[in-house]
């Protein structure tokens, strides 16, 4: 069933040409009016504005079937026939109420653009109104890496940007940035034990994770990349600095910290590992969820909680237990970061309960010349909770490179 109600419009004399037929340009205006009336009756005419995007028409295909005349009442049926990451396609069928004759059949492709006119992913609220997205035929690349096979998604050309997810997330946490960062070669992989990558029984170490990223870069013929890591992805970036500093062109560190775990946090990591072994990965996700997103996200975007659950469900138990032990045993990276000689952006959610703003600011202060930015109304998952703001910050930083 279409999420849009049918709308009736009346043909007036000024809509017609010199011969008394509905003018083709006026027909488009009537379809435009029907779209906005349908929005007004449903989610509200400000649906796009309140989400910070605007639907720009990219392509219109219209077939005029029969004439319409002054006084005719036309019923416009609207349906979403396709939805991608940044675009969606609407179909309008315009019928004359008197005899059910089809007057016009139109298909329009819209692209969501942000405030500066760049394509941006369809926001979550808009996506709910539009309905399910199309299935994608894009299969990840497969990269062999010391006993594992990593699933790697690659988009675009230009400056290489390597996106490293945290725990318990997967590469899809970067889906907005993968879709929207311009003039960049976006590279996102599922780490071993996660998502579409394979899951060895053991061998999970910080060094192995870092070497896995090098294997991905080598497979793609990328010598140096901007490394963008969130939470655990940041810790892997720190290890990459220690082991392979020549592979890093710049750093983007999100919702992460320089310090090692204290004794209390290490104990909680062990408890989570035991929970995963006993009850599975979703039990760990439920334990972590209250701290992963901001109160604003829980109230305005409750569907993101299910997104987090889905990502956590794509971890294997060996992968999650291995990651928790890596987090527990990681070293303090303050000294490593104090020697960083590449440009760096550090950002964090203003409501992050896992790595609060003062912790993220402290991390930024350690890195010479690093820029710090807070993402308002975001918790520990800023790229998903506030994708427009996060992508804008990253894009602006990349422009300086």
């Amino acid at each position: 069933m279409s999420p849009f109600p049918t709308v009736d419009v009346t043909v007036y004399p000024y809509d017609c040409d010199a011969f008394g037929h509905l003018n083709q340009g006026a027909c488009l205006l009537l379809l435009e009016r029907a779209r906005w009336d349908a929005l007004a009756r449903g989610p509200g005419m400000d649906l796009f504005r309140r989400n910070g995007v605007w639907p720009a028409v990219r392509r219109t295909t219209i077939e005029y079937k029969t004439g319409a005349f002054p006084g005719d009442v036309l019923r416009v049926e609207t349906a979403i026939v396709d939805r991608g990451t940044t675009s969606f396609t609407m179909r309008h069928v315009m019928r004359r109420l008197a005899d059910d004759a089809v007057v016009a059949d139109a298909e329009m492709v819209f692209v969501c653009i942000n405030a500066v006119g760049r394509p941006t992913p369809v926001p979550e609220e808009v996506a709910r109104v539009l309905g399910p997205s199309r299935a994608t035929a894009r299969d990840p690349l497969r990269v062999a890496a010391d006993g594992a096979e990593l699933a790697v998604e690659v988009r675009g050309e230009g400056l290489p940007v390597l996106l490293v997810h945290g725990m318990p997330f997967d590469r899809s946490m970067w889906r907005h940035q993968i879709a929207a960062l311009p003039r960049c070669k976006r590279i996102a992989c599922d780490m071993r034990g996660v998502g579409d990558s394979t899951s060895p029984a053991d061998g999970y170490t910080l060094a192995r994770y870092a070497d896995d990223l090098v294997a991905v870069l080598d497979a793609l013929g990328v010598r140096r990349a901007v490394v963008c890591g969130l939470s655990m992805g940041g810790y892997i970036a720190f290890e990459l600095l220690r082991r392979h500093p020549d592979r890093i062109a710049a750093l983007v560190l999100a919702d992460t910290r320089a310090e090692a775990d204290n004794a209390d946090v290490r104990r909680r990591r062990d408890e989570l590992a035991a929970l995963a072994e006993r009850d599975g990965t979703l039990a760990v996700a439920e334990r972590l969820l209250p701290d992963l997103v901001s109160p604003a996200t829980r109230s305005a975007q409750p569907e993101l909680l299910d997104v987090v659950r889905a990502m956590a469900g794509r971890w294997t138990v060996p992968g999650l237990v291995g990651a928790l032990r890596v987090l527990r045993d990681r070293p303090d990276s303050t000294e490593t970061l104090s020697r960083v000689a590449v440009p760096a952006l550090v950002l964090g959610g203003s409501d992050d309960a896992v790595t609060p703003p003062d912790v993220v600011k402290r991390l930024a202060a350690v890195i010479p010349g690093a820029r710090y930015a807070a993402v308002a109304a975001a918790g520990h998952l800023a790229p998903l909770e506030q994708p427009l703001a996060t992508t804008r910050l990253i894009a602006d930083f990349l422009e300086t490179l």
Side-chain angles (χ1 to χ4, degrees), residues 9 111 144 200 242 271 285 296 302 316 326 333 351:
V9 294
V111 177
R242 285 186 281 267
E271 290 173 355
T316 63
V326 165
S333 294
D351 300 326

Side-chain angles (χ1 to χ4, degrees), residues 129-184:
V129 172
L130 298 179
S133 63
R134 64 176 179 254
T136 177
R138 184 186 297 274
D139 293 323
L141 301 175
R142 314 297 301 186
V143 174
D146 191 37
E149 191 176 66
L150 307 177
V152 184
E153 187 171 351
V154 184
R155 301 268 193 97
E157 292 297 335
L159 177 68
V161 178
L162 180 60
L163 300 156
V164 191
H165 65 77
M167 186 282 297
F169 317 124
D170 61 18
R171 74 178 193 271
S172 69
M173 63 152 283
W174 297 109
R175 64 176 184 260
H176 296 286
Q177 291 70 42
I178 291 171
L181 287 174
R183 296 184 292 281
C184 295

Side-chain angles (χ1 to χ4, degrees), residues 168-170 281-287 289-290 292-293 298 301-315 381 384:
F169 317 124
D170 61 18
T281 60
L282 286 177
V284 174
E286 292 299 332
R287 181 77 62 86
L289 261 177
L292 290 181
V293 299
R298 284 195 291 273
Q301 303 181 78
E303 69 280 355
L304 279 188
L305 299 178
D306 290 333
V307 171
V308 173
R309 291 186 182 97
M311 288 191 287
R314 291 192 284 271
W315 283 69
L381 199 48
L384 266 181

